[in-house]
Amino acid sequence: SMGCGSDTLARWENSIRNIKNIENGYAIKNLFKKFNEVPAIILGGGPSVEDFIKAYKEKDLSDKAVIIACDAILGKLLNEGVTPHFVIRCERKETTIFRGVTNEKTDGIFYVAYPWTSPNFFNLFRDYFVAYRDNGICLWTGFKPGSLNGGVSAANAGLELAINMGCSPIIFSGIDLCFIDNKSHVSGTEMEFDPDKSKAKWNEIECNDKEKRTSIPVWLRCLSEYEHTIFKKKLKSVINTSLKGAKIALTTYKPFEELSLSRPFDIKGRIKENLVKVGPGDYDNIRQKTLIYLRDLKNDFTKLLSFVDDTMITG
């Protein structure tokens, strides 16, 4: 089970449609601990990501840190001439989140996706990694590409990826988790839900500049997830570059101008050295066992209903 009944069914359906994509994808576990002491920049879709885009162009950050972007920001980055190393997708829904993104534009970008994401999105990327969570459909399929557990959003999952790869320090940009100047996201992006539906539950939260700004329930869940992960993993160096963004406990606020990101790394080379496909697993055997189980279940359920009918007639 994952979420409500309809959500669970949709995730199973997409995962089954993605079996070939899983087999042909690269296993995310082969990147774990391969980037020790390499900085990572996690990009959300908030207005403050403009600070990163400016720093990327001025300081040529393309080989100074592993750049991990959430799905919503990809189109904006491409339009700005910014190429992240990874872009992460968690949601099962097929929306217009990748509006304007084509296979030709994503060369050199590695897609990181969970098996329940839209099969059509895999077609936008030549190279992609498959990531699992240790529950539900992931455990059932029998594949073992490696897990990125936890996380409400793609940026939450990006933090998990950076941690598992051994990156340090970890730098947040665009992870604002509040409205800044009445904006939820930077221009050129879109939200996959309507925030006004939860307006009755909006709250004021403290930000890095000591001001109070408005947040919504889903952002507060993301905020809690960041704080829980940082505390649980005992992370010592997590930097938040968003001045007007939410104050995230156990992080240090520091603008890009004060960051020391000058040492180059062969990030693309290291990624390419660790490209190992998931390959065929035990799925066919698992599928056959499940079909037998479901047929037996159907027979038992039919028998149960016949007992109920008989009771209604004779009782």
Side-chain angles (χ1 to χ4, degrees):
S1 175
M2 302 184 75
C4 65
S6 60
D7 189 41
T8 295
L9 181 60
R11 290 174 186 244
W12 278 70
E13 288 180 336
N14 267 359
S15 297
I16 299 305
R17 292 167 63 198
N18 273 324
I19 290 300
K20 289 300 179 183
N21 286 331
I22 297 171
E23 292 181 346
N24 292 324
Y26 299 118
I28 197 67
K29 64 183 178 183
N30 292 291
L31 296 183
F32 293 175
K33 302 303 179 185
K34 298 299 194 304
F35 290 82
N36 292 336
E37 306 307 318
V38 178
I41 302 175
I42 315 300
L43 302 178
S48 73
V49 79
E50 293 281 14
D51 297 335
F52 161 78
I53 294 173
K54 179 181 177 182
Y56 180 94
K57 294 177 178 180
E58 291 180 351
K59 300 181 179 181
D60 187 16
L61 298 179
S62 60
D63 63 350
K64 308 296 192 310
V66 177
I67 300 172
I68 305 172
C70 73
D71 44 12
I73 196 67
L74 181 59
K76 169 74 172 180
L77 296 178
L78 292 176
N79 288 337
E80 293 285 350
V82 177
T83 304
H85 299 103
F86 302 98
V87 59
I88 296 186
R89 175 72 181 170
C90 299
E91 288 286 342
R92 61 167 176 77
K93 297 177 288 186
E94 183 166 351
T95 66
T96 55
I97 197 74
F98 288 133
R99 184 197 303 268
V101 175
T102 62
N103 190 268
E104 293 77 18
K105 295 180 180 180
T106 60
D107 189 43
I109 300 174
F110 288 88
Y111 184 47
V112 180
Y114 291 95
W116 55 77
T117 57
S118 170
N120 291 329
F121 288 156
F122 284 89
N123 296 330
L124 296 177
F125 301 86
R126 186 183 68 182
D127 299 304
Y128 58 86
F129 285 90
V130 177
Y132 267 18
R133 287 182 181 157
D134 294 330
N135 60 8
I137 182 68
C138 294
L139 296 182
W140 176 76
T141 61
F143 296 106
K144 296 181 179 179
S147 296
L148 300 177
N149 286 308
V152 178
S153 69
N156 282 138
L159 173 58
E160 293 284 342
L161 176 58
I163 293 170
N164 286 344
M165 291 197 303
C167 295
S168 181
I170 294 174
I171 302 162
F172 290 166
S173 179
I175 301 177
D176 300 320
L177 306 174
C178 64
F179 290 100
I180 297 179
D181 300 327
N182 296 319
K183 292 182 179 180
S184 63
H185 283 60
V186 69
S187 61
T189 63
E190 62 181 67
M191 297 182 71
E192 292 186 287
F193 61 92
D194 182 2
D196 287 334
K197 290 184 178 180
S198 64
K199 200 163 188 176
K201 298 180 180 179
W202 290 8
N203 284 294
E204 295 292 302
I205 61 171
E206 183 181 354
C207 296
N208 287 311
D209 61 357
K210 308 300 182 184
E211 297 292 329
K212 296 277 189 176
R213 292 185 178 82
T214 303
S215 187
I216 64 179
V218 67
W219 293 341
L220 292 175
R221 285 178 58 204
C222 293
L223 173 61
S224 176
E225 187 71 35
Y226 288 122
E227 294 177 338
H228 175 75
T229 299
I230 294 169
F231 175 77
K232 182 179 178 182
K233 300 295 178 66
K234 300 179 180 179
L235 302 182
K236 301 298 183 183
S237 184
V238 182
I239 299 168
N240 190 353
T241 63
S242 175
L243 176 61
K244 295 183 178 181
K247 184 177 180 61
I248 302 174
L250 305 177
T251 69
T252 301
Y253 166 71
K254 187 179 291 187
F256 272 101
E257 303 86 70
E258 297 180 12
L259 295 181
S260 178
L261 296 172
S262 57
R263 179 186 172 190
F265 300 90
D266 185 12
I267 296 170
K268 292 182 179 179
R270 200 172 303 186
I271 295 173
K272 292 178 180 179
E273 290 172 359
N274 294 282
L275 297 180
V276 180
K277 290 199 173 183
V278 176
D282 198 30
Y283 170 71
D284 288 337
N285 185 40
I286 292 172
R287 177 177 175 274
Q288 289 303 318
K289 289 182 178 179
T290 302
L291 286 173
I292 293 172
Y293 170 79
L294 290 175
R295 290 191 188 102
D296 290 342
L297 181 64
K298 179 182 178 182
N299 290 335
D300 290 343
F301 186 64
T302 301
K303 186 183 297 184
L304 174 63
L305 292 179
S306 68
F307 289 157
V308 173
D309 288 341
D310 186 63
T311 301
M312 293 177 66
I313 294 171
T314 61

